[in-house]
Amino acid sequence: MRRLSDLVLARRRVVAAVWVVLTLAGVWAASGIGDALSQKSDAPGKPSFQANRQIVQEYGNGGTVPAIVLVARPEQGRAVTDPDVRDELREAVDRVKRAVPRARVVASSGATGEGLDAADGRASVAYVFPPVSRQKPDENPQALAAVRRVAAKTEVGGRPLLVTGTEALSDDSGGGGAGLLVETLVGGLGALLVLAWVFGSALAFVPLLVAAVSILTTFLLLRILAALTEVSFVVQFLVGLIGLGVAIDYSLLVVFRWREERAAGRDGEDAVRAAMGTAGRAVAVSGITVAIGLLALVVVPVPFIRSIGFGGLLIPIVSVVAALTLLPVLLTGVGERLDRRWAGRHAAGDAGDPTVSPGWTRWATFVVRRRWPAALAGLLVLGILAGVATTLRPGQPSVDALSAGGDARTALRQLERSGLGSGALTPIEVVSSAEAQSGVAQELRGIDGIRGVLTPVDPSWQKGDTAMTVALPKGDSASDEGRATLDRVRDAAKDSGAIDGRVGGPAAQDRDLTEAIYSSFPLMVLLIAVITFVLLARALRSVLLPLKAILLNVLSVGSSFGIVVLVWQHGWGSELIGSVPATGSITTWVPLAIFAFLYGLSMDYEVFILSRIREECDRTGSTDEAVVAGLGRTGRLVTSAALILFLAFVALGAAPNTEIRILATGLAAGILLDATVVRAFVVPALVTLFGRANWWLPDALARRWGGR
């Protein structure tokens, strides 16, 4: 690491120029990154994806795109079965057909078994299966806007025609959002306030500058990667907000150590070299660990999850490179001038070592003396929350949780009051041969949980030798009832000789996507654990500490899952955070992303603290003294870094859609738990309890790695 520092400082102008060029190019890349990223969430080879692909190829609509649902609700004294009301609805549907060419549209004909009319005659639904957009294969905002324009000018039974559906509900939840740029700026402002409090000088701007350069450079690399392969749109949020936190974390560690070296009497380049020799090594280990957590996503056989892994690992890599190259140049050039206020206070004779936190030293002493209660209390909190996490249900959130207000929500309430139910928003599409369609429909009507079956004679519902049949479930696909209904439909399609069709639609696709993702989850966790163990064993020169770190990190992430389950799945705060009721499920990809990022980010703090404890133990020979000294010097760093990341995730929570808010909640809760319960209670208590066993290393490895 010192050789790298010598090389960087010897060519500081070249290093600075390279980063300036990369940053300017990153500004260009960030301006159009949204259009370069993919909205797809495919799981190739799964039955529902094959069915949806066939639907799209043959019909050009439906399949992956959620249906737009029209809801007619006549005024008092009139019913949807009245001939004049029926005619008005058909006219409205005809206008929608003209407004959305290539859409597959169906309205009630009054036939028994369709399930489009409420039993009391107070509501009727019509479906618009939009054409598939190449830009956004899982939605069609242009079609939704066109249907809404028609509905705004249309009355059926004396009342306006309403538009709902999963896409319409999501759009009503605030589709514009604050925007990634605004969210990043808000997170940056919060970080600046924390840094100003921590440093008490203009040096607070240096970590922010490193973060800005890291984020923009990562966007440049992401733009290049997106030109070579598909990269999920989720990555842009991770680069913007998580990149802000990670880059500042690494900068903080180096700057804290640089200040410590200055307090010890080193100046100029000597202080930078000394800081890089210790803190720089910890930054490299932390960054590699975070990157491994993300790279392990490549074992998941889902392209968009893999793209999150490949795209996401750019964040820690670029942040590490910036901290190890750009930061030494900045500290050497302007660091001392920016930090004059702190240096002046130190020179004036402030009591004690200014790089040691008296509060954290007292806390560490308290934990060391009460190691058993501290360890048990922390583990109890984590264990309870991790137990709650065992009830986590991955899948699409309930339709009730997609929006808290608006016309789409009003229409959904009307469906629920009329007895048509929220399942009307998640129809199940079945493709079969034209000859078998009547048998398909008959079989589907006999399935428990199916309210109605659509088999229109309209030519748009038949293509050559194939035909489309749509089953309307009673329950939302995210509910237990809806899941069971989908299972029965798929079993019938698989086992019955009357059905030779494939089952498609968004609900079936989400089910297959969930299975594809989580079937590889144990392998991903094992891969991360093995590689992390080897890295930490080498860095800490210990066998027990890496094992403890891995187990605690898994428990910490599990605890964050528990909070997500309580807040979102069970609704203990979801209305306060996102103005929506309990989601019933957690968006399929979110738990996986939370695990990958939190595991790596939590390991940052583990490495920061344990590296310093290892250093102090080598110096003093006492584990208890090492814990007190190590936490006294790193506690403030961890607190500051955690607070900055927390603010970044709060800003991420301002994103327009529920799934990003759930992700932000999991990350924010996980960081707070890790920085408080885990690092302030459990880690110092367990290290103290283990004593000399912490530092055991087999002789062969000790000789190779320089262990004691």
Side-chain angles (χ1 to χ4, degrees), residues 43 63 71 125 128-129 193 252 265 386 398 441 470 500 524 575 581 599 648:
V71 180
V125 297
V128 181
F129 295 91
L193 294 176
L252 276 175
S398 66
V470 175
D500 61 352
M524 188 192 83
E575 295 195 14
Y599 184 90

Side-chain angles (χ1 to χ4, degrees), residues 89-256:
L89 180 57
R90 287 170 182 165
E91 290 176 4
V93 168
D94 287 339
R95 287 195 290 272
V96 168
K97 286 182 179 180
R98 293 192 292 270
V100 188
R102 298 187 299 113
R104 186 162 28 100
V105 183
V106 62
S108 174
S109 66
T112 302
E114 282 184 327
L116 297 177
D117 296 334
D120 60 2
R122 299 301 306 145
S124 182
V125 297
Y127 288 95
V128 181
F129 295 91
V132 175
S133 168
R134 290 184 179 179
Q135 290 75 24
K136 296 184 176 182
D138 294 336
E139 59 182 80
N140 191 332
Q142 292 78 19
L144 176 60
V147 172
R148 281 178 158 169
R149 285 193 295 270
V150 172
K153 302 175 182 178
T154 303
E155 286 191 355
V156 176
R159 284 184 175 176
L161 184 65
L162 295 179
V163 179
T164 188
T166 56
E167 186 179 348
L169 288 165
S170 298
D171 188 64
D172 280 356
S173 69
L180 179 59
L181 176 61
V182 174
E183 293 161 18
T184 306
L185 291 176
V186 170
L189 177 60
L192 179 60
L193 294 176
V194 175
L195 291 170
W197 169 70
V198 170
F199 288 120
S201 70
L203 192 65
F205 288 98
V206 170
L208 268 183
L209 177 59
V210 174
V213 170
S214 300
I215 291 170
L216 291 172
T217 302
T218 303
F219 274 129
L220 173 62
L221 298 178
L222 190 62
R223 189 74 178 266
I224 296 172
L225 182 63
L228 300 175
T229 185
E230 290 187 353
V231 178
S232 173
F233 74 98
V234 175
V235 178
Q236 64 182 321
F237 293 98
L238 304 180
V239 169
L241 280 308
I242 294 181
L244 177 69
V246 168
I248 290 178
D249 272 6
Y250 298 157
S251 299
L252 276 175
L253 183 60
V254 174
V255 173
F256 266 66

Side-chain angles (χ1 to χ4, degrees), residues 433-607:
S433 67
E435 294 179 355
Q437 187 180 36
S438 60
V440 168
Q442 181 179 358
E443 192 75 21
L444 292 176
R445 288 190 180 98
I447 293 177
D448 184 28
I450 294 297
R451 191 189 70 252
V453 176
L454 306 179
T455 56
V457 182
D458 190 319
S460 64
W461 287 68
Q462 292 187 346
K463 297 291 182 181
D465 294 332
T466 64
M468 179 68 66
T469 304
V470 175
L472 305 179
K474 296 177 182 177
D476 181 356
S477 63
S479 67
D480 290 334
E481 178 187 3
R483 288 166 179 257
T485 300
L486 177 59
D487 287 339
R488 285 190 285 269
V489 170
R490 301 179 93 169
D491 289 342
K494 183 189 303 181
D495 301 332
S496 174
I499 295 183
D500 61 352
R502 289 179 170 179
V503 178
Q509 179 167 299
D510 178 65
R511 176 71 64 82
D512 282 349
L513 181 63
T514 301
E515 292 177 358
I517 289 176
Y518 290 97
S519 63
S520 301
F521 188 72
L523 176 60
M524 188 192 83
V525 174
L526 178 62
L527 180 62
I528 292 176
V530 170
I531 300 177
T532 301
F533 178 84
V534 174
L535 285 174
L536 290 185
R538 172 67 179 85
L540 300 174
R541 306 193 307 282
S542 167
V543 171
L544 185 60
L545 286 180
L547 182 61
K548 175 194 66 64
I550 292 168
L551 294 177
L552 274 184
N553 270 23
V554 172
L555 186 60
S556 176
V557 175
S559 301
S560 70
F561 285 169
I563 292 178
V564 168
V565 168
L566 291 174
V567 172
W568 291 100
Q569 186 171 308
H570 297 323
W572 294 12
S574 60
E575 295 195 14
L576 179 64
I577 298 175
S579 300
V580 296
T583 60
S585 299
I586 303 301
T587 307
T588 304
W589 61 268
V590 169
L592 196 70
I594 289 176
F595 178 87
F597 276 93
L598 270 188
Y599 184 90
L601 292 171
S602 298
M603 199 61 76
D604 277 352
Y605 303 149
E606 187 81 14
V607 172

Side-chain angles (χ1 to χ4, degrees), residues 169-476:
L169 288 165
S170 298
D171 188 64
D172 280 356
S173 69
L180 179 59
L181 176 61
V182 174
E183 293 161 18
T184 306
L185 291 176
V186 170
L189 177 60
L192 179 60
L193 294 176
V194 175
L195 291 170
W197 169 70
V198 170
F199 288 120
S201 70
L203 192 65
F205 288 98
V206 170
L208 268 183
L209 177 59
V210 174
V213 170
S214 300
I215 291 170
L216 291 172
T217 302
T218 303
F219 274 129
L220 173 62
L221 298 178
L222 190 62
R223 189 74 178 266
I224 296 172
L225 182 63
L228 300 175
T229 185
E230 290 187 353
V231 178
S232 173
F233 74 98
V234 175
V235 178
Q236 64 182 321
F237 293 98
L238 304 180
V239 169
L241 280 308
I242 294 181
L244 177 69
V246 168
I248 290 178
D249 272 6
Y250 298 157
S251 299
L252 276 175
L253 183 60
V254 174
V255 173
F256 266 66
R257 193 57 185 255
W258 173 73
R259 271 187 163 184
E260 186 177 330
E261 297 299 336
R262 290 180 62 211
R266 292 187 175 90
D267 293 315
E269 294 185 6
D270 289 340
V272 172
R273 289 188 177 92
M276 294 300 294
T278 51
R281 185 179 299 109
V283 165
V285 173
S286 296
I288 293 172
T289 306
V290 176
I292 287 171
L294 294 165
L295 186 60
L297 291 175
V298 301
V299 304
V300 179
V302 178
F304 93 95
I305 292 293
R306 288 178 174 175
S307 77
I308 293 177
F310 283 122
L313 68 83
L314 295 175
I315 305 168
I317 291 176
V318 174
S319 298
V320 167
V321 174
L324 299 183
T325 57
L326 176 61
L327 186 56
V329 172
L330 292 175
L331 291 177
T332 304
V334 298
E336 293 185 6
R337 289 197 297 272
L338 293 176
D339 210 25
R340 280 175 181 169
R341 183 178 176 185
W342 175 84
R345 290 202 310 270
H346 174 49
D350 284 358
D353 188 337
T355 64
V356 177
S357 169
W360 275 102
T361 300
R362 288 192 295 270
W363 176 257
T365 303
F366 171 82
V367 172
V368 167
R369 289 175 178 173
R370 295 165 178 81
R371 59 197 72 180
W372 277 108
L376 292 175
L379 290 174
L380 180 63
V381 172
L382 297 176
I384 291 174
L385 290 174
V388 174
T390 59
T391 65
L392 188 148
R393 173 188 289 173
Q396 286 302 311
S398 66
V399 294
D400 281 318
L402 295 179
S403 176
D407 289 343
R409 177 72 175 177
T410 301
L412 175 59
R413 290 198 187 101
Q414 179 66 43
L415 292 176
E416 293 171 338
R417 285 195 299 267
S418 67
L420 291 174
S422 56
L425 273 58
T426 55
I428 304 170
E429 299 181 72
V430 180
V431 182
S432 68
S433 67
E435 294 179 355
Q437 187 180 36
S438 60
V440 168
Q442 181 179 358
E443 192 75 21
L444 292 176
R445 288 190 180 98
I447 293 177
D448 184 28
I450 294 297
R451 191 189 70 252
V453 176
L454 306 179
T455 56
V457 182
D458 190 319
S460 64
W461 287 68
Q462 292 187 346
K463 297 291 182 181
D465 294 332
T466 64
M468 179 68 66
T469 304
V470 175
L472 305 179
K474 296 177 182 177
D476 181 356

